Amino acid sequence: MPPPPARPTGPVPPTATVQPLPLRLPMPSASPSATPSATPTVDPAVLAQYEMPASARRSLDRIGPAGGGGIAADAFGTADGRYVERLMRHLTAPLPSRWMSILLRRTLASQIDTPRNVNGADFAAERGWLLLRMGESVAARAVVQGVDTDNYTPKLYQVAMNTALANGDPGGLCPLVDGAMRTVPARGWTMAQAMCAALSGYPAQAGPLLTTARRRGVASGIDLLLAQKVIGAGAQGRQAVTIEWDGVDQLTTWRFGLAMATGVPVPDALYETVGRQVTYWRALSPSMTLADRLGAAEAAAGQGVLSSAALVDLYGAATDDDSVQSATTAIARDLQTAYDDRNADARMAALRQIWGDATVRPSYARLVLTARAAARMPVAKDKVENDRLVASMLSAGLDRTAARWRSSVETGSDAWAMILLADPDDNGRVSYGDLAAYSGGEGDSALKQRMLFAGLAGLGRLAPADVERAAQALDVRIGAENSWTRALDSAARAGQVGTVALLSAVGMQTPGWKGVPPEALYRIVGALRAVGLDGEARMIAAEAIARA
C-alpha cells in the first residue's frame, strides 16, 4: 500500500513537465527595455490603489472560482498547509481512475480556504500546478486567475506562465509581465514583453525588445521563431513567419502554447516526447481543428477531463465537418442512431459498432461516449451486452438508471457486481454467498473478485463476520496499517474532505487499475463515505470492476 510522499529536505518549487524555454539558454542579466522615457516613475503601490480600490481586491484567505467544484470552503479544515502542499507537489498524475480524477479536480478548483502556515498565492500555485499535471488546463487557469496580480509570488508567476501556455493563450501573460520582470526576470518573461507589446498594438516597441532578446541569447531557433509569429499576429504586425520543425526533438510548454496560439500544427512525433496531460490540453484547446481534436477528446473523456456530454457534442459536430475522416464520421452517425432511432434493435446494433469487436473489451472512453444512449435502452434479460451497457451508464454516473437492470442481469456477472456497488438506494447487506457467486467476469477475474469485496466492505455492505471471512479467503489484508492508512483515517475522522481526496489520490499513483491494491480501494472508499462523498465512493468502486 503506498505511503504518503516523503518530506522534502528543502523548498521545492514546481518543476514543469515541459519547460517554457530550454534550460540551456542563459538567463539575461537584466530585462530588456525600450528607449528610456522622460516620464517620471510612479510607485507601483500607489498606482495599484487607483487601478484596483480596496473594495475590489480579493482576499488570499479564500481562492478559487465561485461554484467551481462544489466542495465546501473548509475542505482542508485545520490541516497544516505545508503538509497539504507536499501532498500536491509530489502527487503523480494523471491518475488511473476517471472518478478519482473528477473528484480531485472538483476539490482543487473549488473556492476553498487557504490552510494555515502557507501563503494563499503559493497555495493557489500548487493547486494550479497539480491541475496542469492532471491535464486540467482550463481549471488551472481559473484557479491562478483567482489571485490579484499584485499578490503574485515567484512560484505563482511560474505556474501562471505554464497555465497560459497550456491554454494556448500568450495574451494571458500580458497583465503579469511587468510584475514578473521585477520579481522573476526569466527568459520566458523577457520574450513575453515583446509579444505583449505587439498584442497590445505597439509593434514599434516589440521590435527592439525582440532584437535585444536575440542579441542576449535569451531565445533562438524554434522558440524565437514562434515568438516572432505571435508578434506578427498582433495588430499591425505585418510579419509573416514560417515554422519548420526539422531538427526539433522535444516539445516544451513554450512551443506547445505558441503553436496552439498561432495555429501551427505540431508533428505527432513531438507529442510522444511529453506526458499524457498534453493530450488533454489539446482536447480542451479551441484552436485545434475538430479532426485533430477528437482523438485527444476521447482520451480526455476516459480520464475525466471531458464529460460524456462534451464528447457527444464534439462527435455531433463531426457529421458536418469535411476535414474529419470517414471512419470518424461513421462513428458519429452510429452515435446518432444509438440516440435517436425508434427501433431498439437498431440502437443496440449502433452501440455494438461503436464499441467494436465483441471479443475485445471496448475502451473506457467509448463507454463514456455512449453513456446516455445506453441509458435509453429498454431493460431486457436477453441482452448479452448487459455488462457493457451498465458500465457505460455508470461511467457518466447514471446510477439509478443502471440499477433498473438489477433484476435482469445475470447473477455473478460484471453488470451484477457493478450494480451491487453503485445502487444508491440499496441499504441492505450482501451475503457471503452472493459475494462468492461473482465469477470475475471479463478481464482479470481474480483481481476483480478482490475489488468487489474491497468495494462492498468499504461501502459497509457486508456483515462484519463476512468481511473477516472474505478477507481471509481472498487474501485481502484490509486491516494492515501504514503511514498512508493512518493519515487517511485521521483526515476522515477530522472531516477534512480536501485532505481525504488528496490522500485517496496518493493511494492510486499507478498507471492503471491493475496496479491499485484492493486494500487501498477499501480504505479509499471507506474514507470517502466518512466525509460525505458517498456518490464518489460508489462510482470509484464500480469503476474498479469495469476497468480492472
Side-chain angles (χ1 to χ4, degrees):
M1 199 174 297
R7 184 184 184 91
T9 57
V12 181
T15 303
T17 303
V18 283
Q19 300 294 328
L21 283 175
L23 295 178
R24 64 178 180 272
L25 297 177
M27 182 178 293
S29 57
S31 59
S33 59
T35 303
S37 170
T39 304
T41 59
V42 179
D43 185 348
V46 175
L47 184 60
Q49 294 296 324
Y50 291 93
E51 293 179 342
M52 184 178 292
S55 59
R57 295 180 181 276
R58 293 172 292 184
S59 172
L60 290 176
D61 294 335
R62 180 174 294 179
I63 297 171
I71 300 297
D74 61 347
F76 294 101
T78 60
D80 191 319
R82 294 168 297 183
Y83 169 68
V84 176
E85 282 191 343
R86 286 197 299 273
L87 290 178
M88 289 192 288
R89 191 178 311 148
H90 294 281
L91 181 60
T92 301
L95 300 169
S97 168
R98 167 181 165 83
W99 283 104
M100 188 70 250
S101 298
I102 291 172
L103 172 59
L104 191 56
R105 179 191 66 222
R106 290 179 53 215
T107 302
L108 297 171
S110 291
Q111 193 172 70
I112 53 178
D113 296 336
T114 300
R116 58 190 177 92
N117 296 329
V118 292
N119 175 275
D122 283 343
F123 190 66
E126 294 289 358
R127 290 163 60 187
W129 186 239
L130 178 51
L131 284 165
L132 278 183
R133 302 200 310 272
M134 293 168 60
E136 299 281 0
S137 54
V138 174
R141 177 171 57 186
V143 171
V144 168
Q145 290 180 345
V147 178
D148 292 342
T149 55
D150 57 344
N151 287 327
Y152 268 50
T153 61
K155 184 190 294 186
L156 188 54
Y157 276 121
Q158 182 181 359
V159 174
M161 169 166 279
N162 282 274
T163 300
L165 294 172
N167 282 280
D169 179 25
L173 302 174
C174 298
L176 308 174
V177 68
D178 291 339
M181 288 305 299
R182 290 192 300 267
T183 308
V184 283
R187 295 181 302 276
W189 291 110
T190 301
M191 297 300 296
Q193 274 192 317
M195 292 190 299
C196 288
L199 293 174
S200 301
Y202 300 104
Q205 293 181 13
L209 288 170
L210 188 65
T211 300
T212 302
R214 183 191 294 110
R215 186 172 60 249
R216 294 182 176 180
V218 172
S220 61
I222 192 74
D223 302 302
L224 182 63
L225 289 173
L226 285 167
Q228 286 181 290
K229 194 165 184 67
V230 172
I231 291 171
Q236 303 176 18
R238 299 190 182 95
Q239 186 178 19
V241 179
T242 301
I243 302 298
E244 299 287 347
W245 295 95
D246 296 342
V248 178
D249 57 3
Q250 178 67 50
L251 185 62
T252 65
T253 314
W254 180 268
R255 294 165 185 173
F256 172 84
L258 299 193
M260 291 298 101
T262 54
V264 175
V266 177
D268 292 339
L270 286 179
Y271 284 119
E272 297 176 4
T273 67
V274 292
R276 285 187 293 148
Q277 69 272 14
V278 179
T279 298
Y280 311 144
W281 299 351
R282 293 169 65 192
L284 295 173
S285 173
S287 66
M288 297 284 292
T289 66
L290 186 59
D292 292 334
R293 193 178 178 189
L294 276 171
E298 277 208 24
Q303 186 62 38
V305 175
L306 282 183
S307 67
S308 173
L311 186 59
V312 169
D313 286 345
L314 285 174
Y315 267 100
T319 57
D320 299 322
D321 194 313
D322 294 336
S323 68
V324 176
Q325 295 182 353
S326 58
T328 303
T329 304
I331 294 173
R333 293 198 190 98
D334 287 334
L335 188 63
Q336 185 174 13
T337 300
Y339 272 92
D340 295 340
D341 201 287
R342 295 184 178 182
N343 186 288
D345 290 337
R347 296 204 303 274
M348 191 68 246
L351 289 174
R352 293 192 193 101
Q353 286 292 113
I354 295 170
W355 292 335
D357 190 342
T359 62
V360 179
R361 295 176 72 179
S363 70
Y364 196 65
R366 288 293 170 89
L367 296 179
V368 174
L369 174 64
T370 57
R372 284 171 174 77
R376 297 189 67 242
M377 293 301 300
V379 177
K381 293 185 177 182
D382 60 347
K383 286 283 186 294
V384 296
E385 297 87 357
N386 283 354
D387 291 348
R388 295 181 178 184
L389 287 168
V390 170
S392 182
M393 288 180 252
L394 293 178
S395 72
L398 305 175
D399 48 7
R400 284 191 167 87
T401 304
R404 293 190 296 112
W405 290 72
R406 185 164 191 157
S407 61
S408 300
V409 298
E410 182 181 352
T411 300
S413 65
D414 277 354
W416 172 84
M418 286 184 282
I419 292 172
L420 281 184
L421 293 165
D423 190 348
D425 302 316
D426 185 1
N427 298 316
R429 292 277 176 81
V430 177
S431 70
Y432 182 83
D434 284 341
L435 175 62
Y438 180 48
S439 62
E442 190 178 19
D444 189 336
S445 58
L447 176 60
K448 290 167 74 171
Q449 287 172 337
R450 301 169 77 204
M451 288 295 199
L452 175 60
F453 160 65
L456 290 172
L459 290 169
R461 295 185 177 181
L462 287 173
D466 290 337
V467 171
E468 292 293 331
R469 183 181 176 188
Q472 293 181 3
L474 295 171
D475 191 25
V476 180
R477 301 176 182 179
I478 59 174
E481 291 189 357
N482 56 34
S483 56
W484 174 75
T485 64
R486 287 189 289 271
L488 184 61
D489 292 344
S490 176
R493 284 193 299 271
Q496 296 173 6
V497 176
T499 312
V500 166
L502 278 173
L503 286 167
S504 296
V506 168
M508 287 191 172
Q509 292 182 100
T510 174
W513 265 103
K514 291 185 183 299
V516 178
E519 298 89 346
L521 179 65
Y522 164 74
R523 294 283 186 170
I524 290 168
V525 169
L528 293 177
R529 283 185 63 235
V531 294
L533 297 174
D534 181 75
E536 288 79 359
R538 290 184 289 104
M539 291 302 102
I540 289 172
E543 184 185 354
I545 301 300
R547 305 185 74 177

